Amino acid sequence: MTVTPPTVAAELPRRATRRLRSIKSRETWAGLGMIAPAGILLVLFLIVPVILAFTLSFTNARLISPNPPRFVGFDNFIRAFTADPVFIQSVGNTAVFALVVVPVQAGLGLLLAVLVNRRMRGVTAFRVIFFIPVVTSIVVVSILWKFMYQQDGLINSMIDALTFGAWSGVDWLNDPHTALGAIIVLSIWQAVGFHMIIWLSGLQTIPEELYEAAKMDGASPWRQFTNVTWPGLRPTMVFVLVTITIAALGLFVQVDVMTQGGPVNSTSTIVYYAVRKGYEQQEIGYAAAISLIFFVAVLIIALIQRRLTREKD
Amino acid sequence: MSATRTLTTARPRTGRSARMPVASEKSHRLRGKILLYVAMSLFGVIFLFPLVFMFVSSLKPDSQILQDIDSVNAFLPVGDISLDNYFGVFDRVPVAQFMFNSVLVTVLTVGLGLIVNSMAGFALSRLEWKGRLVVLALVIATLIVPFETIAVPMVYWVAQLPTLVVEGGVPKYDFGWLNTYEVQIVPFIANAFSIFLFTQYFSTIPKSLDEAARIDGASWFTIYRRILVPLSGPAFATVAILTFLPAWNQYLWPLMVVQKEELRPVMVGMQYFFQLNTAWGEVMAYTSLITLPVLIVFLIFQRAFVSSIAASGVKG
């Protein structure tokens, strides 16, 4: 064993740290370099529009206008809540839509997931069938159902056949009492398969032994569901509820394709109204204010849901 | 005596005890199975009938569709069957051009998105750099922003972005991305949810692989390219599928920013069919045409589709 001269020994840690530092800085550059493309794009097409939405909402900006936007303070927000009955009605319609779609879609999705969560011949085929509407574009789905909802369309003739002719037929999408309901039905039909798959993946994380133990204790299928399945699904439930709520609040395409918000604004939603104001009527400042209100609502609801579902743990 | 007899006979009916005769339990299970198949088939019909109706109607002239609507014939290709509606569609709109536009936009959005977002995921999960945690938190925070809320300000914004145009062989700068391919692609390449999924997936791969490669002198990009990418097939498949559907189904955005017919995607092409008297047979033919490619892709990759959706949910 050779004795190292003291000078070299003192040098060693310093050189090592310098080298380490240069490795560190190279790692920093590599990190920045690899995040840069996504980072720049996210700033340009997410952060900037969010900031724009925020600032435009305090102006009277128009989409195409010779005059530069002028600061108007809270005018847009005051107008929305006090002087715009169509906006208020759009908020109401959106709320009704979400209040029906969230529980029904989540519940049906869970029912379907329980049905197909077993090893049986043909179960995969059923999973595929239940999922087919999800991959079908919502634009196509809306047009298809619009066709079926006509006064002399398939839906009425099917109800007529099922009630042995007692049905007189409804012009579903042109009646203010039924239009929103009709949109609710097709929306649930289209997306329930998506949530079935999410529930299914949650179901499959529950250990088989728990069910065996429950069966040994003589638990009925219902008891097995309430005592084993349901508690095991809590994290999945949070995800399903949050995603359905956010999707439901963003209702747009179905309305745009099927009813254009009518009849008499009975199907206008917040997002549909914002797009109509901002794009068709060019009132971009006002539309930005509505978008901002919508965003804050989404944020609050998502946070409340998270809080509520977490507290029970 | 009689009391014990009623007890033993009554028992199997209420609860399934161990003393239940084997044959009765078997029939019980069989009944359950049949019930299950009946329930699933019922739902199956509910999920399939509108699409069957669409495909069948696309083969019939409007008069035949109306005539068949009161009977089971609505779901059967009977009567005056032909491909006339499909020929009609090709006469009415430039289907091939719309298809080309949609395929181009979808392929580029998904392809570039896979590269850009996986690189970002790599930087966020494998590398140590200043500000990493801040950026990660920002990416997760942006997950909550629904596109609908920024769509209108975004139109305003992209209308002011600089773009390179070639006029008479001379390239020059111009402003405004309206009516271009890039406006349909570039804003959707970077995606916070994709970055999040990649970050999650990459962090499950052992870091010792990176260290070994570093000792062998590999650069970080080489490690990403040669080690992480080949090991992350499922993550790439998940992100590809989750971005493929919205890209193909784009509607609101191109409706607002693309007025030129030759640049529009298939979903917006829909609009050409709704005149005073809508020819529903042709509409059904067009919707069938633009649905079929997706359905075929889905049926081929259904296993990957289903596990992608499941993966996206479990991580949430």
Side-chain angles (χ1 to χ4, degrees), chain A:
Chain A
M1 197 182 175
T2 52
V3 180
T4 354
T7 46
V8 177
E11 193 99 303
L12 207 67
R14 225 185 300 158
R15 218 190 287 161
T17 41
R18 207 183 305 150
R19 209 163 84 201
L20 196 75
R21 210 175 289 155
S22 94
I23 287 171
K24 272 276 153 219
S25 93
R26 243 184 288 153
E27 194 168 332
T28 297
W29 282 113
L32 290 176
M34 292 181 82
I35 194 101
I40 292 168
L41 287 170
L42 281 180
V43 167
L44 275 178
F45 298 108
L46 193 72
I47 311 278
V48 168
V50 166
I51 295 169
L52 259 180
F54 191 77
T55 47
L56 283 172
S57 63
F58 295 98
T59 70
N60 62 355
R62 301 187 68 86
L63 198 56
I64 302 155
S65 163
N67 307 319
R70 197 168 45 81
F71 182 78
V72 295
F74 284 96
D75 281 7
N76 289 324
F77 297 93
I78 294 165
R79 174 182 163 197
F81 285 114
T82 59
D84 191 347
V86 182
F87 171 73
I88 300 292
Q89 193 175 356
S90 304
V91 171
N93 293 338
T94 310
V96 169
F97 182 83
L99 283 175
V100 178
V101 167
V102 173
V104 175
Q105 187 158 295
L108 266 180
L110 180 57
L111 174 68
L112 292 178
V114 170
L115 278 183
V116 298
N117 183 34
R118 55 200 83 211
R119 268 169 222 170
M120 253 167 64
R121 202 175 289 247
V123 154
T124 314
F126 282 107
R127 284 183 202 174
V128 169
I129 289 170
F130 299 162
F131 199 74
I132 279 178
V134 178
V135 295
T136 311
S137 156
I138 188 67
V139 179
V140 167
V141 166
S142 301
I143 285 163
L144 180 56
W145 282 75
K146 185 181 179 176
F147 183 42
M148 299 198 308
Y149 274 137
Q150 287 184 321
Q151 177 100 54
D152 54 358
L154 187 66
I155 298 288
N156 277 330
S157 77
M158 277 167 72
I159 298 176
D160 188 64
L162 288 175
T163 57
F164 300 104
W167 184 256
S168 53
V170 173
D171 195 357
W172 297 98
L173 294 172
N174 287 319
D175 183 335
H177 300 295
T178 56
L180 189 61
I183 290 180
I184 287 174
V185 168
L186 93 104
S187 304
I188 292 171
W189 174 85
Q190 198 254 346
V192 71
F194 185 91
H195 298 287
M196 170 191 78
I197 296 297
I198 309 271
W199 283 121
L200 192 61
S201 68
L203 286 175
Q204 284 168 355
T205 61
I206 300 171
E208 193 64 35
E209 297 90 71
L210 289 182
Y211 288 105
E212 275 157 26
K215 267 183 218 161
M216 293 275 261
D217 293 345
S220 66
W222 178 248
R223 280 294 291 261
Q224 287 177 34
F225 181 81
T226 53
N227 289 0
V228 179
T229 312
W230 187 241
L233 285 175
R234 239 173 224 298
T236 316
M237 184 183 72
V238 177
F239 182 83
V240 168
L241 287 184
V242 171
T243 51
I244 298 182
T245 309
I246 293 178
L249 293 175
L251 172 65
F252 171 80
V253 175
Q254 294 94 307
V255 173
D256 190 63
V257 173
M258 298 174 83
T259 60
Q260 263 99 52
V264 286
N265 299 317
S266 62
T267 58
S268 179
T269 62
I270 304 177
V271 172
Y272 179 76
Y273 190 59
V275 170
R276 202 173 80 182
K277 277 285 165 196
Y279 183 69
E280 281 167 31
Q281 300 173 13
Q282 315 255 314
E283 289 187 55
I284 206 160
Y286 188 48
I290 294 172
S291 298
L292 202 64
I293 296 168
F294 170 72
F295 179 54
V296 171
V298 168
L299 202 65
I300 291 172
I301 290 167
L303 288 176
I304 290 175
Q305 273 184 341
R306 238 154 224 260
R307 174 62 57 85
L308 281 182
T309 40
R310 203 170 277 169
E311 260 174 1
K312 286 179 191 155
D313 283 351

Side-chain angles (χ1 to χ4, degrees), chain B:
Chain B
M1 188 72 186
S2 67
T4 46
R5 264 190 83 183
T6 36
L7 204 82
T8 45
T9 47
R11 219 166 174 181
R13 273 189 211 170
T14 49
R16 266 185 290 166
S17 83
R19 249 182 281 169
M20 187 199 282
V22 178
S24 140
E25 186 171 3
K26 243 185 189 168
S27 82
H28 193 89
R29 253 199 227 152
L30 188 72
R31 219 181 318 147
K33 240 182 183 178
I34 290 171
L35 222 72
L36 201 72
Y37 277 115
V38 169
M40 289 197 295
S41 306
L42 214 73
F43 278 112
V45 169
I46 293 172
F47 282 99
L48 278 186
F49 87 85
L51 289 156
V52 173
F53 177 63
M54 174 178 86
F55 286 117
V56 167
S57 298
S58 75
L59 299 169
K60 298 174 181 174
D62 285 12
S63 55
Q64 181 80 47
I65 297 174
L66 273 181
Q67 193 189 314
D68 289 351
I69 223 154
D70 289 332
S71 65
V72 185
N73 286 350
F75 305 105
L76 300 173
V78 291
D80 198 355
I81 293 297
S82 72
L83 289 175
D84 284 354
N85 288 327
Y86 289 87
F87 294 123
V89 164
F90 277 89
D91 286 341
R92 196 191 284 261
V93 296
V95 181
Q97 182 72 46
F98 289 164
M99 282 280 187
F100 171 80
N101 295 340
S102 274
V103 170
L104 181 80
V105 167
T106 305
V107 167
L108 285 178
T109 308
V110 173
L112 293 171
L114 285 178
I115 298 169
V116 164
N117 296 318
S118 65
M119 269 171 35
F122 180 82
L124 288 171
S125 63
R126 315 293 284 190
L127 297 172
E128 287 297 333
W129 43 282
K130 246 189 201 160
R132 180 182 76 93
L133 292 176
V134 178
V135 173
L136 187 62
L138 259 176
V139 167
I140 292 171
T142 55
L143 277 175
I144 194 88
V145 181
F147 176 72
E148 291 89 354
T149 61
I150 55 169
V152 176
M154 191 104 112
V155 178
Y156 185 81
W157 173 232
V158 295
Q160 299 169 20
L161 287 175
T163 178
L164 199 63
V165 287
V166 182
E167 246 172 54
V170 189
K172 62 164 194 163
Y173 271 109
D174 200 352
F175 286 92
W177 276 25
L178 302 183
N179 291 314
T180 56
Y181 280 122
E182 61 255 38
V183 80
Q184 304 179 60
I185 299 166
V186 182
F188 305 101
I189 293 173
N191 181 303
F193 191 59
S194 306
I195 295 174
F196 177 67
L197 284 177
F198 276 122
T199 307
Q200 294 277 79
Y201 194 88
F202 288 161
S203 54
T204 62
I205 296 171
K207 274 209 169 148
S208 53
L209 290 173
D210 300 13
E211 279 150 27
R214 290 298 290 169
I215 289 164
D216 289 346
S219 73
W220 284 111
F221 187 77
T222 312
I223 292 171
Y224 156 79
R225 177 73 198 77
R226 291 287 167 82
I227 298 176
L228 267 296
V229 174
L231 284 175
S232 308
F236 279 86
T238 300
V239 171
I241 284 164
L242 289 176
T243 47
F244 159 73
L245 281 179
W248 179 264
N249 293 339
Q250 273 206 65
Y251 174 73
L252 166 65
W253 182 245
L255 200 65
M256 297 197 289
V257 294
V258 187
Q259 259 75 50
K260 272 193 193 159
E261 184 185 84
E262 65 267 30
L263 294 176
R264 290 193 138 175
V266 287
M267 293 305 152
V268 178
M270 220 59 254
Q271 291 210 316
Y272 293 75
F273 292 90
F274 295 97
Q275 267 97 37
L276 263 168
N277 283 312
T278 305
W280 281 105
E282 284 185 10
V283 174
M284 293 300 120
Y286 186 74
T287 51
S288 299
L289 269 178
I290 64 179
T291 303
L292 264 179
V294 191
L295 276 188
I296 290 167
V297 170
F298 166 61
L299 290 175
I300 294 171
F301 297 107
Q302 52 93 5
R303 204 176 281 266
F305 259 87
V306 167
S307 55
S308 294
I309 306 289
S312 79
V314 172
K315 297 281 160 60

